[in-house]
Amino acid sequence: MLNNILLKNTNIIDVENNSVNENMDIVIENDVIKDVSPSTENHSPDYETIDCSGKFALPGLFESHAHLCWLETFEKDDKISILKQFVEKGITQVRDVGGPFNILKKMKEEIHANNITGPEIF
């Protein structure tokens, strides 16, 4: 079962309005953001609370020029680590610009099935 998480006192980067919304709470239930609200609101004690004071949240980044098929030339553990690093560094989507389709399709399926952690591949 996935945990319910409350990210408390987060500074949210609003890229549409070119601003920072300070001291906001982000409620995550089953890996889905359910609510974003000012930190003055009370939340259920059933949430794992993480104090994000002084930290920032921003939308996922999109890498628009990648060659992921080359990861197949790496050792499996290295490939898995590199794909995971994309997400850990905030890159949630990647556009591969021409690798072999069968390799990219397999990688995309592994990520989608949660067999490995990695960005969404286009």
Side-chain angles (χ1 to χ4, degrees):
M1 179 160 140
L2 299 172
N3 292 332
N4 293 328
I5 299 170
L6 169 62
L7 302 177
K8 191 97 177 124
N9 301 314
T10 308
N11 298 309
I12 299 175
I13 305 291
D14 183 340
V15 296
E16 290 182 358
N17 296 307
N18 195 28
S19 64
V20 177
N21 298 318
E22 297 180 346
N23 298 316
M24 302 291 288
D25 289 350
I26 303 172
V27 176
I28 303 169
E29 295 176 2
N30 299 322
D31 284 344
V32 175
I33 296 174
K34 292 291 186 174
D35 186 49
V36 177
S37 59
S39 286
T40 56
E41 294 187 18
N42 294 324
H43 297 281
S44 169
D46 297 332
Y47 291 90
E48 175 186 351
T49 301
I50 300 171
D51 182 14
C52 294
S53 297
K55 306 231 184 286
F56 295 84
L58 64 149
L61 303 173
F62 192 107
E63 168 61 61
S64 62
H65 188 118
H67 298 277
L68 297 177
C69 65
W70 288 104
L71 292 176
E72 289 301 314
T73 65
F74 289 65
E75 296 292 327
K76 183 177 181 180
D77 287 345
D78 292 334
K79 172 186 132 179
I80 290 170
S81 174
I82 290 167
L83 286 170
K84 185 176 181 183
Q85 285 179 44
F86 275 97
V87 177
E88 289 174 342
K89 295 183 185 315
I91 300 170
T92 59
Q93 299 173 322
V94 171
R95 177 179 164 256
D96 189 284
V97 292
F101 181 74
N102 59 329
I103 292 173
L104 295 172
K105 182 178 183 221
K106 182 180 179 208
M107 204 178 295
K108 185 174 182 170
E109 288 171 349
E110 287 181 293
I111 292 168
H112 184 71
N114 292 320
N115 295 333
I116 59 175
T117 299
E120 183 176 4
I121 300 172
F122 294 90

